[in-house]
Amino acid sequence: MIHKSDFLVIGGGIAGMSYALRIANGGKGKVVLVCKTTLDEANTTKAQGGIASVTNLSVDNFEKHIADTIVAGDFISNHQAVEHVVRNAPKASVTLWNGA
Ligand SMILES: Cc1cc2nc3c(=O)[nH]c(=O)nc-3n(C[C@H](O)[C@H](O)[C@H](O)COP(=O)(O)OP(=O)(O)OC[C@H]3O[C@@H](n4cnc5c(N)ncnc54)[C@H](O)[C@@H]3O)c2cc1C
């Protein structure tokens, strides 16, 4: 069977879904979204909806969060990217909470 579309989105997690919805809602054309198995087999369905960041340096520190993220990423994460995200997360979450 052949499916024709204007946009082919590969991945049904939050990244693919968000992009597909944006394109579809913008009326820019027909969108087809594909995933590897089923839509509920993605990291997105397992996420708990929280944002973890260092908020209290007297009981927590950046190094622990960096190490935890490297382990969770099975040691294949880009160390520079992990460090950037972890060190800038407090600033980003304050911005989010303030609605800016
Ligand atoms: C247990 C757990 C808890 C988490 N908790 C949080 C949290 O509290 N807060 C938070 O911010 N983040 C959390 N995360 C991380 C978050 O879930 C991911 O960062 C995010 O969901 C990634 O979204 P994504 O769309 O990039 O990838 P995914 O959701 O992994 O989607 C990838 C998609 O690509 C498809 N795909 C993969 N390979 C192929 C292929 N070869 N061909 C076709 N399709 C393919 C898959 O089928 C899937 O649909 C958690 C992750 C896990 C596992």
Side-chain angles (χ1 to χ4, degrees):
M1 180 185 282
I2 295 176
H3 293 279
K4 290 194 173 180
S5 69
D6 301 297
F7 298 91
L8 173 64
V9 180
I10 301 174
I14 192 157
M17 289 270 198
S18 305
Y19 183 74
L21 279 173
R22 186 176 297 184
I23 296 294
N25 289 337
K28 295 183 190 302
K30 187 177 173 187
V31 183
V32 166
L33 182 143
V34 297
C35 61
K36 199 149 85 173
T37 52
T38 58
L39 283 177
D40 58 355
E41 276 293 320
N43 285 314
T44 300
T45 57
K46 296 181 175 62
Q48 295 129 7
I51 298 176
S53 74
V54 179
T55 54
N56 183 350
L57 283 172
S58 61
V59 292
D60 204 0
N61 64 65
F62 291 111
E63 285 65 34
K64 278 201 292 192
H65 281 242
I66 290 167
D68 191 36
T69 306
I70 295 289
V71 170
D74 212 14
F75 299 92
I76 62 169
S77 305
N78 178 308
H79 199 281
Q80 252 185 313
V82 169
E83 183 147 0
H84 177 82
V85 170
V86 169
R87 291 196 187 279
N88 288 287
K91 209 173 14 176
S93 34
V94 168
T95 307
L96 280 174
W97 282 114
N98 290 337

